Amino acid sequence: MSDVPPSHPRYASLMTREKVVEGVERGITGRNGLIAQGRGEAFDYLIGERTTAAAAEAERAAAAMLLLAERPVLSVNGNAAALVPGEMVSLAKRIGAPLEVNIFYRTEERVRRIADHLRSFGAEEVFGEEPDAAIPGLDHARAKATRGGIFDADVVFVPLEDGDRCEALVRMGKRVITVDLNPLSRTARTSTVTIVDNVVRALPNLISLVEEMAGWDGADLAGILEAYDNTAILRRSVEEVITHLARSFSPLDELSPP
């Protein structure tokens, strides 16, 4: 990675970019993942590069849903593998869920590299290398799934934007949790629970919440989900963008003549 000093004001953001670049160089992340990372970073600016109140509520609902799930599965694409591999493995272990590699620009070599990468972080059960089922309604590589994994899951955690597959999974009757910095996307509007947050913040938050809530009574966890309204969360997420922009200074004001 580049020699960026921790004192740099954009250190965290630059390190995130470097991880995606490194993922491309290692054959884990597709080149198109660089575009997705840039788009996500732009939306992260709009929310102030922080976990908003709406995102925190969604993360709490996601933790409850994962803990209540009978067959949760965590889906992993190239960007997630580059950015939060250890966190994905840690979350999977805490909820007793397998990981499954699913990528849009699929090559068997890249699937293998991602699976091996996750195993290097301690993953014990990784699906995706030998898919034996197809998600109805999809006509490309994203339809490939594994029995015992995503195909049979009741809850699927999809850490980054994936609109068409999200819709298809919901049509199958699955509950879908997504992390998507764009509250207006098809993914965000289709998912059961949408976390409008950066994945590098959302995963540590989820792990902490799962640890905190692991011993809770099932009725208490169910109560969180009953009170959760994803449409309201998305509306609040947009309002938080507007509020953040209103509170920020305008560069045009700085350029105005006295």
Side-chain angles (χ1 to χ4, degrees):
M1 289 190 179
S2 300
D3 187 19
V4 180
S7 59
H8 192 287
R10 302 295 305 157
Y11 179 77
S13 177
L14 291 173
M15 286 297 97
T16 300
R17 296 180 199 176
E18 291 282 358
K19 287 182 179 180
V20 178
V21 170
E22 183 185 34
V24 173
E25 293 173 345
R26 295 181 60 179
I28 292 171
T29 306
R31 287 179 296 175
N32 290 280
L34 297 170
I35 299 172
Q37 172 62 25
R39 178 175 55 191
E41 186 171 293
F43 278 100
D44 205 12
Y45 277 131
L46 297 179
I47 62 172
E49 296 177 297
R50 62 195 171 90
T51 298
T52 65
E57 185 173 333
E59 287 163 359
R60 193 172 185 80
M65 183 172 287
L66 289 169
L67 288 168
L68 286 172
E70 295 182 5
R71 299 179 304 279
V73 177
L74 310 186
S75 180
V76 184
N77 70 0
N79 281 45
L83 292 172
V84 285
E87 291 85 348
M88 291 293 290
V89 172
S90 179
L91 180 60
K93 289 182 176 181
R94 282 168 170 76
I95 62 172
L99 299 154
E100 182 162 340
V101 179
N102 186 282
I103 53 179
F104 189 90
Y105 299 100
R106 183 184 178 101
T107 67
E108 300 313 310
E109 174 65 17
R110 191 151 75 90
V111 171
R112 184 191 63 78
R113 286 177 181 269
I114 293 173
D116 286 345
H117 185 58
L118 294 170
R119 293 186 186 106
S120 75
F121 281 86
E124 298 171 356
E125 191 172 20
V126 183
F127 292 123
E129 293 169 284
E130 298 180 2
D132 57 3
I135 298 170
L138 297 181
D139 58 1
H140 51 71
R142 269 276 165 83
K144 293 186 176 183
T146 309
R147 296 184 186 278
I150 286 174
F151 191 79
D152 293 322
D154 59 339
V155 174
V156 183
F157 176 69
V158 183
L160 292 169
E161 186 174 353
D162 193 0
D164 57 346
R165 190 164 65 107
C166 178
E167 289 182 330
L169 291 171
V170 170
R171 284 196 300 268
M172 289 180 73
K174 304 180 187 300
R175 291 178 292 174
V176 179
I177 301 167
T178 54
V179 180
D180 190 344
L181 278 160
N182 177 5
L184 304 176
S185 75
R186 180 173 46 171
T187 305
R189 290 182 284 110
T190 303
S191 299
T192 316
V193 174
T194 302
I195 301 169
V196 183
D197 201 359
N198 193 315
V199 70
V200 301
R201 294 190 298 268
L203 262 294
N205 290 344
L206 269 178
I207 291 168
S208 295
L209 286 165
V210 164
E211 290 175 341
E212 173 192 334
M213 299 160 66
W216 286 24
D217 185 83
D220 293 331
L221 295 174
I224 291 174
L225 295 181
E226 289 172 7
Y228 182 78
D229 184 336
N230 201 57
T231 300
I233 286 294
L234 294 179
R235 186 177 297 112
R236 284 173 52 193
S237 298
V238 173
E239 291 170 351
E240 285 171 331
V241 168
I242 296 170
T243 299
H244 173 68
L245 293 176
R247 288 176 178 171
S248 301
F249 73 90
S250 170
L252 293 178
D253 292 340
E254 296 294 308
L255 297 175
S256 299

